[in-house]
Protein backbone atom coordinates (compact mmCIF):
# COMPACT_ATOMS: atom_id res chain seq x y z
CA UNK A 1 0.00 0.00 0.00
CA UNK A 2 1.26 3.46 -0.88
CA UNK A 3 2.30 5.71 1.95
CA UNK A 4 -0.21 8.41 1.00
CA UNK A 5 -3.11 6.01 0.99
CA UNK A 6 -1.88 4.50 4.26
CA UNK A 7 -1.64 7.94 5.85
CA UNK A 8 -5.09 8.80 4.60
CA UNK A 9 -6.65 5.69 6.17
CA UNK A 10 -4.56 6.06 9.32
CA UNK A 11 -6.03 9.51 9.87
CA UNK A 12 -9.51 8.00 9.98
CA UNK A 13 -8.24 5.40 12.49
CA UNK A 14 -6.76 8.13 14.69
CA UNK A 15 -10.06 10.03 14.54
CA UNK A 16 -12.06 6.80 15.02
CA UNK A 17 -14.13 7.57 11.93
CA UNK A 18 -16.20 4.87 10.24
CA UNK A 19 -15.36 6.00 6.70
CA UNK A 20 -13.47 2.80 5.88
CA UNK A 21 -15.32 0.33 8.10
CA UNK A 22 -15.96 -2.72 5.98
CA UNK A 23 -13.46 -1.52 3.38
CA UNK A 24 -10.18 -1.83 5.32
CA UNK A 25 -9.24 -3.65 8.53
CA UNK A 26 -6.61 -2.36 10.93
CA UNK A 27 -4.18 -5.21 11.72
CA UNK A 28 -1.98 -4.50 14.75
CA UNK A 29 1.33 -6.33 14.50
CA UNK A 30 2.22 -6.00 18.19
CA UNK A 31 -1.01 -7.60 19.47
CA UNK A 32 -1.86 -9.77 16.41
CA UNK A 33 -5.42 -8.35 16.63
CA UNK A 34 -7.41 -6.75 13.84
CA UNK A 35 -10.07 -4.05 14.19
CA UNK A 36 -12.48 -1.91 12.28
CA UNK A 37 -10.83 1.45 11.50
CA UNK A 38 -13.40 3.09 13.79
CA UNK A 39 -12.55 0.86 16.81
CA UNK A 40 -12.63 2.79 20.10
CA UNK A 41 -9.53 1.05 21.42
CA UNK A 42 -6.32 3.06 21.77
CA UNK A 43 -4.92 4.09 18.38
CA UNK A 44 -1.89 1.94 17.51
CA UNK A 45 1.30 3.55 16.25
CA UNK A 46 1.36 3.67 12.44
CA UNK A 47 4.52 1.54 12.27
CA UNK A 48 2.64 -1.28 14.03
CA UNK A 49 -0.25 -1.34 11.58
CA UNK A 50 -0.99 -2.93 8.28
CA UNK A 51 -4.32 -2.64 6.51
CA UNK A 52 -6.10 -5.72 5.18
CA UNK A 53 -8.89 -5.41 2.63
CA UNK A 54 -10.99 -8.29 3.97
CA UNK A 55 -11.62 -10.24 7.17
CA UNK A 56 -10.25 -13.36 5.50
CA UNK A 57 -7.03 -11.60 4.51
CA UNK A 58 -6.50 -10.49 8.13
CA UNK A 59 -7.19 -13.98 9.50
CA UNK A 60 -4.95 -15.62 6.88
CA UNK A 61 -2.15 -13.26 7.92
CA UNK A 62 -2.46 -14.56 11.48
CA UNK A 63 -4.56 -11.84 13.14
CA UNK A 64 -7.46 -12.43 15.55
CA UNK A 65 -10.60 -10.27 15.57
CA UNK A 66 -10.89 -7.60 18.25
CA UNK A 67 -13.38 -8.44 21.04
CA UNK A 68 -14.41 -4.83 21.23
CA UNK A 69 -15.31 -3.83 17.65
CA UNK A 70 -15.95 -7.40 16.38
CA UNK A 71 -14.75 -6.79 12.79
CA UNK A 72 -15.50 -10.40 11.82
CA UNK A 73 -19.23 -10.28 12.44
CA UNK A 74 -21.30 -10.48 9.27
CA UNK A 75 -23.99 -7.91 8.92
CA UNK A 76 -21.82 -5.20 10.40
CA UNK A 77 -20.58 -4.53 6.89
CA UNK A 78 -23.59 -3.30 5.00
CA UNK A 79 -24.19 -4.31 1.38
CA UNK A 80 -23.28 -0.74 0.40
CA UNK A 81 -19.96 -1.05 2.23
CA UNK A 82 -19.24 -4.32 0.48
CA UNK A 83 -20.01 -2.71 -2.86
CA UNK A 84 -17.80 0.31 -2.10
CA UNK A 85 -14.96 -2.06 -1.20
CA UNK A 86 -15.47 -3.85 -4.51
CA UNK A 87 -15.40 -0.51 -6.36
CA UNK A 88 -12.06 0.27 -4.70
CA UNK A 89 -10.69 -3.08 -5.79
CA UNK A 90 -11.76 -2.46 -9.41
CA UNK A 91 -10.29 1.07 -9.36
CA UNK A 92 -6.93 -0.29 -8.14
CA UNK A 93 -6.97 -2.86 -10.93
CA UNK A 94 -7.84 -0.22 -13.51
CA UNK A 95 -5.26 2.37 -12.49
CA UNK A 96 -3.25 2.05 -15.73
CA UNK A 97 -6.23 2.26 -18.06
CA UNK A 98 -9.05 4.62 -18.96
CA UNK A 99 -11.49 3.03 -16.52
CA UNK A 100 -14.85 4.82 -16.26
CA UNK A 101 -17.66 4.94 -13.74
CA UNK A 102 -19.90 3.40 -16.40
CA UNK A 103 -17.58 0.40 -16.78
CA UNK A 104 -17.42 -0.19 -13.03
CA UNK A 105 -21.18 0.17 -12.76
CA UNK A 106 -21.59 -2.35 -15.59
CA UNK A 107 -19.27 -4.83 -13.86
CA UNK A 108 -21.29 -4.53 -10.66
CA UNK A 109 -24.61 -4.52 -12.50
CA UNK A 110 -25.96 -1.29 -11.01
CA UNK A 111 -26.59 2.15 -12.47
CA UNK A 112 -23.73 4.69 -12.45
CA UNK A 113 -25.98 7.13 -10.62
CA UNK A 114 -26.75 4.66 -7.82
CA UNK A 115 -23.11 3.59 -7.63
CA UNK A 116 -21.91 7.16 -7.27
CA UNK A 117 -24.46 7.93 -4.56
CA UNK A 118 -23.83 4.88 -2.40
CA UNK A 119 -20.06 5.22 -2.77
CA UNK A 120 -20.27 8.79 -1.54
CA UNK A 121 -22.43 7.75 1.39
CA UNK A 122 -19.99 5.03 2.47
CA UNK A 123 -16.64 6.76 1.89
CA UNK A 124 -17.49 10.47 1.75
CA UNK A 125 -15.70 10.61 -1.59
CA UNK A 126 -16.37 9.68 -5.22
CA UNK A 127 -14.82 6.90 -7.33
CA UNK A 128 -13.31 9.55 -9.61
CA UNK A 129 -11.63 11.37 -6.72
CA UNK A 130 -10.37 8.11 -5.22
CA UNK A 131 -8.99 6.99 -8.60
CA UNK A 132 -7.12 10.28 -8.95
CA UNK A 133 -5.68 9.80 -5.46
CA UNK A 134 -4.52 6.31 -6.39
CA UNK A 135 -3.00 7.57 -9.64
CA UNK A 136 -1.20 10.46 -7.99
CA UNK A 137 0.21 8.23 -5.24
CA UNK A 138 1.40 5.69 -7.83
CA UNK A 139 2.95 8.41 -10.02
CA UNK A 140 4.86 9.86 -7.04
CA UNK A 141 6.21 6.45 -6.00
CA UNK A 142 7.43 5.78 -9.54
CA UNK A 143 9.00 9.21 -9.97
CA UNK A 144 10.76 8.86 -6.63
CA UNK A 145 12.18 5.46 -7.58
CA UNK A 146 14.29 7.19 -10.26
CA UNK A 147 15.02 4.01 -12.26
CA UNK A 148 14.01 3.33 -15.89
CA UNK A 149 10.41 2.68 -14.89
CA UNK A 150 10.46 6.26 -13.64
CA UNK A 151 10.74 7.98 -17.02
CA UNK A 152 7.92 10.49 -17.45
CA UNK A 153 6.43 8.59 -20.38
CA UNK A 154 6.49 5.28 -18.49
CA UNK A 155 4.97 6.85 -15.39
CA UNK A 156 2.24 8.55 -17.43
CA UNK A 157 1.34 5.22 -19.02
CA UNK A 158 1.39 3.34 -15.70
CA UNK A 159 -1.21 5.69 -14.24
CA UNK A 160 -3.54 5.71 -17.23
CA UNK A 161 -2.39 8.74 -19.23
CA UNK A 162 -1.73 8.04 -22.90
CA UNK A 163 -0.52 11.60 -23.46
CA UNK A 164 2.66 12.88 -21.87
CA UNK A 165 1.39 16.48 -21.91
CA UNK A 166 -1.96 15.64 -20.31
CA UNK A 167 -0.11 13.77 -17.59
CA UNK A 168 2.25 16.68 -16.99
CA UNK A 169 -0.59 19.19 -16.88
CA UNK A 170 -2.58 17.07 -14.42
CA UNK A 171 0.42 16.30 -12.20
CA UNK A 172 1.43 19.97 -12.10
CA UNK A 173 -2.07 20.99 -11.14
CA UNK A 174 -2.20 18.43 -8.32
CA UNK A 175 1.25 19.01 -6.85
CA UNK A 176 2.40 22.46 -8.02
CA UNK A 177 5.41 20.79 -9.68
CA UNK A 178 5.98 19.20 -13.06
CA UNK A 179 6.86 15.48 -12.93
CA UNK A 180 10.51 16.32 -13.76
CA UNK A 181 10.68 18.91 -11.00
CA UNK A 182 9.12 16.49 -8.56
CA UNK A 183 11.65 13.82 -9.47
CA UNK A 184 14.58 16.24 -9.18
CA UNK A 185 13.45 17.44 -5.77
CA UNK A 186 13.34 13.86 -4.57
CA UNK A 187 16.75 13.08 -6.02
CA UNK A 188 18.11 16.09 -4.12
CA UNK A 189 16.51 14.88 -0.92
CA UNK A 190 17.91 11.40 -1.53
CA UNK A 191 21.43 12.81 -1.88
CA UNK A 192 21.08 14.95 1.24
CA UNK A 193 19.59 12.40 3.42
ZN1 LIG B 1 -11.22 -3.24 17.79
Amino acid sequence: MHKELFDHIYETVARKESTYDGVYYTCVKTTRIFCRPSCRARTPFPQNILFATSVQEAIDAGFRPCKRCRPELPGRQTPDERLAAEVNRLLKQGINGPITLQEIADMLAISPFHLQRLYKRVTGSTPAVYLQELRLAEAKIRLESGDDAGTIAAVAKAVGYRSHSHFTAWFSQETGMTPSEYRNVHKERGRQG
Side-chain angles (χ1 to χ4, degrees), residues 12-58:
T12 72
V13 173
R15 291 198 294 256
K16 308 195 187 307
E17 292 173 354
S18 60
T19 311
Y20 291 110
D21 280 13
V23 181
Y24 292 106
Y25 298 86
T26 314
C27 302
V28 187
K29 292 183 237 173
T30 43
T31 58
R32 306 307 296 173
I33 296 226
F34 73 99
C35 286
R36 294 163 193 281
S38 66
C39 183
R40 299 284 153 190
R42 196 163 61 87
T43 306
F45 291 112
Q47 64 267 28
N48 294 333
I49 288 180
L50 55 90
F51 290 112
T53 53
S54 69
V55 168
Q56 197 56 51
E57 186 186 326

Coordinates of all heavy atoms in Angstrom, one line a residue, residues 12-58:
T12 N -8.1 8.4 9.6 CA -9.5 8.0 10.0 C -9.5 7.1 11.2 O -10.4 7.1 12.0 CB -10.3 7.3 8.8 OG1 -9.8 6.0 8.6 CG2 -10.3 8.1 7.6
V13 N -8.4 6.3 11.3 CA -8.2 5.4 12.5 C -8.0 6.3 13.7 O -8.6 6.1 14.8 CB -7.1 4.4 12.3 CG1 -6.8 3.6 13.6 CG2 -7.4 3.4 11.1
A14 N -7.1 7.3 13.6 CA -6.8 8.1 14.7 C -8.0 8.9 15.2 O -8.2 9.2 16.3 CB -5.6 9.1 14.3
R15 N -8.9 9.3 14.2 CA -10.1 10.0 14.5 C -11.2 9.1 14.9 O -12.3 9.6 15.1 CB -10.4 11.0 13.4 CG -9.4 12.1 13.2 CD -10.0 13.3 12.4 NE -10.3 12.8 11.0 CZ -9.5 13.2 10.0 NH1 -8.5 14.0 10.2 NH2 -9.8 12.8 8.8
K16 N -11.0 7.8 14.8 CA -12.1 6.8 15.0 C -13.3 7.0 14.1 O -14.4 6.9 14.6 CB -12.4 6.8 16.5 CG -11.2 6.6 17.4 CD -11.5 6.2 18.8 CE -10.3 6.3 19.7 NZ -9.1 5.5 19.2
E17 N -13.0 7.4 12.9 CA -14.1 7.6 11.9 C -14.5 6.2 11.3 O -13.6 5.4 11.1 CB -13.7 8.6 10.9 CG -13.5 10.0 11.4 CD -12.9 10.9 10.4 OE1 -12.5 10.5 9.3 OE2 -12.8 12.1 10.7
S18 N -15.7 6.1 10.8 CA -16.2 4.9 10.2 C -16.1 4.8 8.7 O -16.6 3.9 8.1 CB -17.6 4.6 10.7 OG -18.5 5.7 10.2
T19 N -15.4 5.9 8.2 CA -15.4 6.0 6.7 C -15.0 4.7 6.0 O -15.6 4.3 5.0 CB -14.3 7.0 6.3 OG1 -14.5 8.2 7.1 CG2 -14.3 7.4 4.8
Y20 N -14.0 4.0 6.6 CA -13.5 2.8 5.9 C -13.8 1.5 6.6 O -13.3 0.5 6.3 CB -11.9 2.9 5.7 CG -11.6 4.0 4.7 CD1 -11.0 5.1 5.1 CD2 -11.9 3.8 3.4 CE1 -10.7 6.1 4.2 CE2 -11.6 4.8 2.4 CZ -11.0 5.9 2.9 OH -10.7 6.9 1.9
D21 N -14.8 1.6 7.5 CA -15.3 0.3 8.1 C -15.9 -0.6 7.0 O -16.7 -0.1 6.2 CB -16.4 0.6 9.1 CG -15.8 1.1 10.5 OD1 -14.6 1.4 10.5 OD2 -16.6 1.1 11.4
G22 N -15.5 -1.8 7.0 CA -16.0 -2.7 6.0 C -15.2 -2.7 4.7 O -15.3 -3.5 3.8
V23 N -14.3 -1.7 4.6 CA -13.5 -1.5 3.4 C -12.0 -1.9 3.7 O -11.4 -2.7 3.0 CB -13.5 -0.1 2.9 CG1 -12.7 0.1 1.6 CG2 -15.0 0.3 2.6
Y24 N -11.5 -1.4 4.8 CA -10.2 -1.8 5.3 C -10.3 -2.3 6.8 O -11.2 -2.0 7.5 CB -9.2 -0.7 5.3 CG -8.9 -0.2 3.9 CD1 -9.4 1.0 3.4 CD2 -8.0 -1.0 3.1 CE1 -9.1 1.4 2.1 CE2 -7.7 -0.5 1.8 CZ -8.3 0.6 1.3 OH -8.0 1.0 0.0
Y25 N -9.3 -3.2 7.2 CA -9.2 -3.7 8.5 C -7.9 -3.3 9.1 O -6.9 -3.5 8.4 CB -9.5 -5.2 8.6 CG -10.9 -5.5 8.1 CD1 -11.1 -5.7 6.7 CD2 -11.9 -5.6 9.0 CE1 -12.4 -5.9 6.2 CE2 -13.2 -5.8 8.5 CZ -13.5 -6.0 7.1 OH -14.7 -6.2 6.7
T26 N -7.9 -2.8 10.3 CA -6.6 -2.4 10.9 C -6.0 -3.6 11.6 O -6.5 -4.0 12.6 CB -6.9 -1.3 12.0 OG1 -7.8 -0.3 11.4 CG2 -5.6 -0.6 12.4
C27 N -4.9 -4.1 11.1 CA -4.2 -5.2 11.7 C -3.0 -4.7 12.6 O -2.2 -3.9 12.0 CB -3.6 -6.2 10.7 SG -4.9 -6.8 9.6
V28 N -3.0 -5.0 13.8 CA -2.0 -4.5 14.7 C -0.9 -5.6 15.0 O -1.2 -6.6 15.6 CB -2.6 -4.0 16.1 CG1 -1.6 -3.3 16.9 CG2 -3.8 -3.1 15.8
K29 N 0.3 -5.3 14.5 CA 1.3 -6.3 14.5 C 1.8 -6.7 15.9 O 2.1 -7.8 16.2 CB 2.5 -5.8 13.7 CG 2.3 -5.7 12.2 CD 3.5 -5.3 11.5 CE 3.2 -4.0 10.7 NZ 4.5 -3.4 10.1
T30 N 1.7 -5.7 16.8 CA 2.2 -6.0 18.2 C 1.3 -6.9 19.0 O 1.7 -7.7 19.8 CB 2.4 -4.7 19.0 OG1 1.3 -3.8 18.7 CG2 3.7 -4.0 18.5
T31 N 0.0 -6.8 18.7 CA -1.0 -7.6 19.5 C -1.6 -8.8 18.7 O -2.3 -9.6 19.2 CB -2.2 -6.7 19.9 OG1 -2.8 -6.1 18.8 CG2 -1.7 -5.6 20.9
R32 N -1.3 -8.8 17.4 CA -1.9 -9.8 16.4 C -3.4 -9.7 16.4 O -4.1 -10.7 16.2 CB -1.4 -11.2 16.7 CG 0.1 -11.4 16.8 CD 0.8 -10.9 15.6 NE 0.5 -11.6 14.4 CZ 1.0 -11.3 13.2 NH1 1.7 -10.2 13.0 NH2 0.6 -12.0 12.1
I33 N -4.0 -8.5 16.6 CA -5.4 -8.3 16.6 C -5.8 -7.4 15.5 O -5.0 -6.6 15.1 CB -5.9 -7.7 18.0 CG1 -5.6 -8.7 19.1 CG2 -7.3 -7.2 17.9 CD1 -6.6 -9.0 20.1
F34 N -7.0 -7.7 14.9 CA -7.4 -6.7 13.8 C -8.7 -6.1 14.2 O -9.6 -6.7 14.9 CB -7.4 -7.4 12.4 CG -8.5 -8.4 12.2 CD1 -9.7 -8.0 11.5 CD2 -8.4 -9.7 12.5 CE1 -10.7 -8.9 11.2 CE2 -9.4 -10.6 12.3 CZ -10.5 -10.2 11.6
C35 N -8.9 -4.9 13.8 CA -10.1 -4.1 14.2 C -10.7 -3.4 13.0 O -10.1 -3.3 11.9 CB -9.6 -2.9 15.1 SG -9.1 -3.4 16.7
R36 N -11.9 -2.9 13.2 CA -12.5 -1.9 12.3 C -11.7 -0.6 12.4 O -11.3 -0.3 13.6 CB -13.9 -1.6 12.6 CG -14.9 -2.7 12.5 CD -16.2 -2.5 13.2 NE -16.9 -3.8 13.3 CZ -17.6 -4.3 12.3 NH1 -17.7 -3.6 11.2 NH2 -18.1 -5.4 12.4
P37 N -11.5 0.2 11.4 CA -10.8 1.4 11.5 C -11.4 2.4 12.6 O -10.7 3.1 13.2 CB -11.0 2.1 10.1 CG -11.1 0.9 9.2 CD -11.9 -0.1 10.0
S38 N -12.7 2.2 12.8 CA -13.4 3.1 13.8 C -13.3 2.6 15.2 O -13.9 3.2 16.1 CB -14.9 3.2 13.4 OG -15.5 2.0 13.6
C39 N -12.6 1.5 15.5 CA -12.5 0.9 16.8 C -12.2 1.9 17.9 O -11.3 2.7 17.7 CB -11.5 -0.3 16.8 SG -11.5 -1.1 18.5
R40 N -12.9 1.8 19.0 CA -12.6 2.8 20.1 C -11.4 2.5 20.9 O -11.0 3.3 21.8 CB -13.9 2.8 21.0 CG -15.1 3.2 20.3 CD -15.2 4.7 20.1 NE -16.0 5.0 18.9 CZ -16.1 6.2 18.3 NH1 -15.4 7.2 18.8 NH2 -16.8 6.4 17.3
A41 N -10.8 1.4 20.7 CA -9.5 1.0 21.4 C -8.5 2.1 21.1 O -8.6 2.8 20.1 CB -9.0 -0.3 21.0
R42 N -7.4 2.1 21.9 CA -6.3 3.1 21.8 C -5.7 3.0 20.4 O -5.5 1.9 19.9 CB -5.2 2.8 22.8 CG -4.3 3.9 23.0 CD -3.5 3.7 24.4 NE -2.8 2.5 24.4 CZ -1.5 2.3 23.9 NH1 -0.9 3.4 23.4 NH2 -0.9 1.2 23.9
T43 N -5.4 4.1 19.7 CA -4.9 4.1 18.4 C -3.5 3.5 18.4 O -2.6 4.1 19.0 CB -4.9 5.5 17.8 OG1 -6.2 6.1 17.9 CG2 -4.5 5.5 16.3
P44 N -3.3 2.5 17.6 CA -1.9 1.9 17.5 C -1.0 2.9 16.8 O -1.4 3.7 16.0 CB -2.1 0.7 16.7 CG -3.5 0.5 16.5 CD -4.2 1.8 16.7
F45 N 0.3 2.8 17.0 CA 1.3 3.6 16.3 C 1.3 3.1 14.8 O 1.1 1.9 14.5 CB 2.7 3.4 16.8 CG 2.9 4.0 18.2 CD1 3.1 3.2 19.3 CD2 2.8 5.4 18.3 CE1 3.2 3.8 20.5 CE2 3.0 6.0 19.6 CZ 3.2 5.2 20.7
P46 N 1.5 4.0 13.9 CA 1.4 3.7 12.4 C 2.3 2.6 12.0 O 2.0 1.7 11.2 CB 1.7 5.0 11.7 CG 2.1 5.9 12.7 CD 1.7 5.5 14.1
Q47 N 3.5 2.6 12.7 CA 4.5 1.5 12.3 C 4.1 0.1 12.7 O 4.7 -0.8 12.2 CB 5.9 1.9 12.8 CG 6.0 1.9 14.3 CD 5.8 3.3 14.9 OE1 5.1 4.1 14.3 NE2 6.4 3.6 16.1
N48 N 3.1 0.0 13.6 CA 2.6 -1.3 14.0 C 1.4 -1.8 13.3 O 0.9 -2.8 13.6 CB 2.3 -1.2 15.5 CG 3.5 -1.0 16.4 OD1 4.6 -1.3 16.0 ND2 3.4 -0.4 17.5
I49 N 1.0 -1.0 12.3 CA -0.2 -1.3 11.6 C 0.0 -1.8 10.2 O 0.9 -1.3 9.5 CB -1.1 -0.1 11.5 CG1 -1.7 0.3 12.9 CG2 -2.3 -0.3 10.5 CD1 -2.6 1.5 12.8
L50 N -0.8 -2.8 9.7 CA -1.0 -2.9 8.3 C -2.5 -3.0 8.0 O -3.2 -3.5 8.9 CB -0.2 -4.1 7.7 CG -0.3 -5.5 8.3 CD1 -1.4 -6.2 7.5 CD2 1.0 -6.3 8.1
F51 N -2.9 -2.6 6.8 CA -4.3 -2.6 6.5 C -4.7 -3.8 5.6 O -4.1 -4.0 4.5 CB -4.7 -1.3 5.8 CG -4.7 -0.2 6.8 CD1 -3.8 0.9 6.6 CD2 -5.6 -0.1 7.8 CE1 -3.8 2.0 7.5 CE2 -5.6 1.0 8.7 CZ -4.7 2.0 8.5
A52 N -5.6 -4.6 6.0 CA -6.1 -5.7 5.2 C -7.4 -5.2 4.5 O -8.0 -4.3 5.0 CB -6.4 -6.9 6.0
T53 N -7.7 -5.8 3.4 CA -8.9 -5.4 2.6 C -10.1 -6.4 2.8 O -11.1 -6.1 2.3 CB -8.6 -5.3 1.1 OG1 -8.0 -6.5 0.7 CG2 -7.6 -4.1 0.8
S54 N -9.9 -7.4 3.6 CA -11.0 -8.3 4.0 C -10.7 -9.0 5.3 O -9.5 -9.1 5.7 CB -11.2 -9.3 2.9 OG -10.2 -10.3 2.9
V55 N -11.8 -9.5 5.9 CA -11.6 -10.2 7.2 C -10.7 -11.5 6.9 O -9.8 -11.8 7.7 CB -13.0 -10.7 7.7 CG1 -12.9 -11.7 8.8 CG2 -13.8 -9.5 8.2
Q56 N -11.0 -12.1 5.8 CA -10.2 -13.4 5.5 C -8.8 -13.1 5.4 O -7.9 -13.8 5.8 CB -10.8 -14.0 4.2 CG -10.4 -15.5 4.0 CD -10.8 -16.3 5.2 OE1 -11.9 -16.3 5.6 NE2 -9.8 -17.1 5.8
E57 N -8.4 -12.0 4.7 CA -7.0 -11.6 4.5 C -6.3 -11.4 5.9 O -5.2 -11.8 6.1 CB -6.9 -10.3 3.7 CG -5.5 -9.9 3.3 CD -5.5 -8.6 2.6 OE1 -6.4 -8.2 1.8 OE2 -4.5 -7.8 2.8
A58 N -7.1 -10.7 6.8 CA -6.5 -10.5 8.1 C -6.3 -11.8 8.9 O -5.2 -12.0 9.5 CB -7.4 -9.6 8.9

